[in-house]
Amino acid sequence: MAALADGQVRLVTEDGEVAAVLLSLLFADAEFEILGAPGVPRVAPLGLLESLPEAVRERALVWERHVREVETGRPGTPGAAGPLRAEYDPQVRTLAQREEAKAAELSAAGMPTSVVTVRRMRARYRREGVWGLVDHRATRPRSVLGRADERVVAALREVLEAGRERSSGTLGRLRVYTERLLGEQYGDGVVPLPSSATFNRLVHALADSHGLLDSARQRRWRSARPAPPFVPTTAMAPGELVMMDSTVLDAFVVLDDGVVERPELTIALDVATRTICAAVLRAKGTRSVDAAQLLAQMMVPAPVRPGWAEALAMEHSVVPYERLLSRDARLEGAAARPVITPQTIVVDQGNVFISSSFIAACEFAGHFCAARTTGQRAGQGACGTHVFLDQHAVRTARSRLYGLAHRRAREGHRGRGGVDTGPAGRDVPEVDHLRVAGA
């Protein structure tokens, strides 16, 4: 480029030929490039800077002001007004002189710095912006294993996994087993073990998060748990996924033989609509026939019980009752509870749900199957069954039971804490009636 005037640029080729080109056409050409120009300044990665320790971030910002002063003469943003310091004035001092002045200034301020360091920081700033001025020792990913030999780590993992079914041992025994395994794989003395303190820290780093140093019973329980799904369970249609579970109520009932016992509530919950499809209240120790009864309750209408309000009847609900009644006569006098036919049932490893009678009831229905998890209450906890049982199905019944107890205590049957514990006990049908009314 020889000259630039009136929106035109004069170009001179290597052979000496001169050509005039409009400046707009030159910039629009895809092959146009300015050689030797400084790189485009990058936007500071403020999000990454905020994740750094405060001391590291402040040091990078201080270096940015020093580098700008070396290059432009001013430590602020480009174009900032204010007098220039004589030792950094680009009009009277060369770049090398300014670098030497900055190195001397930082060294005098208590931060020993050489000219090579200042030049290297300038190059990083031009290439990466302020992120290039960061001490990247603070950004390196740190491993809980430190710098342990990978062969020692692999051998220790194998020893820990092999000891899941064994009785609890000591760290010294793990060291002996690991050393023996390394000798079998690489030869005696080829792979040395770290010191006892380092080895113990390595054991805890590998085992604590997986419970490999717990008791043998706890390790067996962990190994029996299924892998978590890591994705939310989604059910779009009623009956697509129904979950069954049992919980013990915080109340006492009087059985036929006079024994006071805590009842157990077993419910079937539809995941899509969060509807309690059916529920059974029994004395502690739900049997498989009770779980099978839930299947029958889900697929038939529930009759309105004596004493219930008319608003609880299906004929007073918003559903097209007359149309439904014409198709199924059993809906006459039914309660406003949806009839949901399940497709998939999720249960835990309780003896009630894995019994042959319950599985036979599922197969007899023919419309759905029973999906069983392989861990102890692991599959249902991931979908929130226990939370729903406590916050929705149990809380209302519990509050009604306590309200009745305190009301009868005020009438004269007062026990410990004002709660009725005398002859005014309640049997299972009465508690079941409170549960149905509260649900």
Side-chain angles (χ1 to χ4, degrees):
M1 186 179 65
L4 178 62
D6 299 331
Q8 293 184 352
V9 59
R10 295 185 181 276
L11 303 178
V12 180
T13 64
E14 296 179 355
D15 300 335
E17 297 181 2
V18 179
V21 182
L22 290 176
L23 191 60
S24 58
L25 296 178
L26 182 64
F27 287 160
D29 193 293
E31 298 181 356
F32 173 73
E33 182 181 358
I34 301 178
L35 302 178
V40 179
R42 301 178 59 184
V43 178
L46 300 180
L48 295 177
L49 292 177
E50 291 297 329
S51 64
L52 297 174
E54 184 177 358
V56 177
R57 182 173 62 254
E58 291 297 329
R59 183 180 178 87
L61 295 178
V62 169
W63 263 112
E64 182 184 22
R65 291 193 293 268
H66 289 313
V67 170
R68 284 179 175 176
E69 188 173 22
V70 171
E71 293 187 344
T72 64
R74 292 185 174 88
T77 58
L84 297 179
R85 298 170 62 182
E87 58 269 27
Y88 300 110
D89 190 351
Q91 302 296 330
V92 298
R93 303 292 296 270
T94 63
L95 182 58
Q97 292 174 339
R98 299 197 300 270
E99 291 176 348
E100 294 177 358
K102 180 58 66 177
E105 177 187 349
L106 294 177
S107 299
M111 189 172 69
T113 307
S114 64
V115 178
V116 176
T117 302
V118 175
R119 190 173 296 121
R120 184 174 65 252
M121 289 297 185
R122 286 185 53 251
R124 289 181 178 179
Y125 186 72
R126 282 180 170 272
R127 185 173 60 253
E128 304 179 45
V130 68
W131 184 251
L133 305 178
V134 173
D135 187 354
H136 289 282
R137 290 178 295 182
T139 63
R140 296 173 184 170
R142 299 182 180 274
S143 173
V144 295
L145 305 180
R147 291 178 288 183
D149 193 333
E150 295 182 358
R151 296 171 294 181
V152 176
V153 174
L156 182 55
R157 288 183 188 274
E158 185 175 347
V159 171
L160 289 172
E161 290 294 335
R164 281 186 180 272
E165 301 298 328
R166 299 177 182 174
S167 61
S168 303
T170 62
L171 296 177
R173 189 179 72 175
L174 288 177
R175 183 180 179 89
V176 172
Y177 287 168
T178 305
E179 187 175 11
R180 184 182 304 170
L181 181 60
L182 289 173
E184 295 175 356
Q185 294 178 346
Y186 304 101
D188 295 337
V190 176
V191 181
L193 287 178
S195 63
S196 298
T198 304
F199 180 82
N200 294 343
R201 288 195 297 269
L202 182 60
V203 170
H204 285 288
L206 291 174
D208 286 350
S209 59
H210 301 283
L212 297 178
L213 294 182
D214 296 337
S215 63
R217 181 179 179 181
Q218 291 174 327
R219 293 198 303 270
R220 286 193 295 269
W221 179 82
R222 285 178 176 270
S223 61
R225 296 178 60 186
F230 295 107
V231 292
T233 302
T234 303
M236 304 301 295
E240 181 180 352
L241 186 64
V242 175
M243 306 176 68
M244 288 187 178
D245 197 13
S246 300
T247 184
V248 179
L249 289 177
D250 294 337
F252 290 93
V253 295
V254 180
L255 305 181
D256 295 338
D257 54 0
V259 178
V260 179
E261 185 62 88
R262 296 175 63 185
E264 191 172 37
L265 176 66
T266 304
I267 73 169
L269 169 68
D270 180 60
V271 177
T273 62
R274 289 300 191 266
T275 301
I276 299 178
C277 305
V280 173
L281 185 68
R282 295 290 183 266
K284 187 176 181 181
T286 303
R287 297 174 297 177
S288 58
V289 65
D290 300 324
Q293 184 180 351
L294 289 177
L295 304 179
Q297 290 186 12
M298 278 187 283
M299 295 183 293
V300 297
V304 176
R305 296 191 180 186
W308 283 13
E310 294 183 358
L312 299 179
M314 183 175 291
E315 58 181 328
H316 296 288
S317 62
V318 297
V319 300
Y321 175 72
E322 299 296 338
R323 180 181 178 184
L324 294 176
L325 184 60
S326 63
R327 293 181 175 271
D328 193 343
R330 295 178 301 175
L331 293 176
E332 184 176 2
R337 191 201 72 181
V339 179
I340 298 178
T341 301
Q343 298 177 359
T344 303
I345 294 180
V346 179
V347 297
D348 58 14
Q349 285 283 33
N351 295 329
V352 174
F353 300 113
I354 63 175
S355 61
S356 57
S357 58
F358 179 74
I359 300 300
C362 293
E363 295 175 351
F364 176 79
H367 301 291
F368 54 93
C369 60
R372 293 180 292 155
T373 61
T374 58
Q376 298 178 353
R377 298 188 178 271
Q380 291 189 336
C383 298
T385 308
H386 301 295
V387 177
F388 190 88
L389 275 173
D390 183 59
Q391 294 185 353
H392 296 75
V394 179
R395 180 180 299 175
T396 306
R398 183 188 300 139
S399 62
R400 286 178 172 268
L401 290 173
Y402 288 167
L404 177 61
H406 284 282
R407 183 171 65 254
R408 302 188 68 171
R410 289 195 299 270
E411 296 175 357
H413 304 282
R414 188 175 300 275
R416 181 179 180 183
V419 179
D420 179 17
T421 57
R426 296 166 298 280
D427 54 10
V428 174
E430 182 181 0
V431 177
D432 187 55
H433 177 76
L434 291 174
R435 187 269 309 168
V436 174

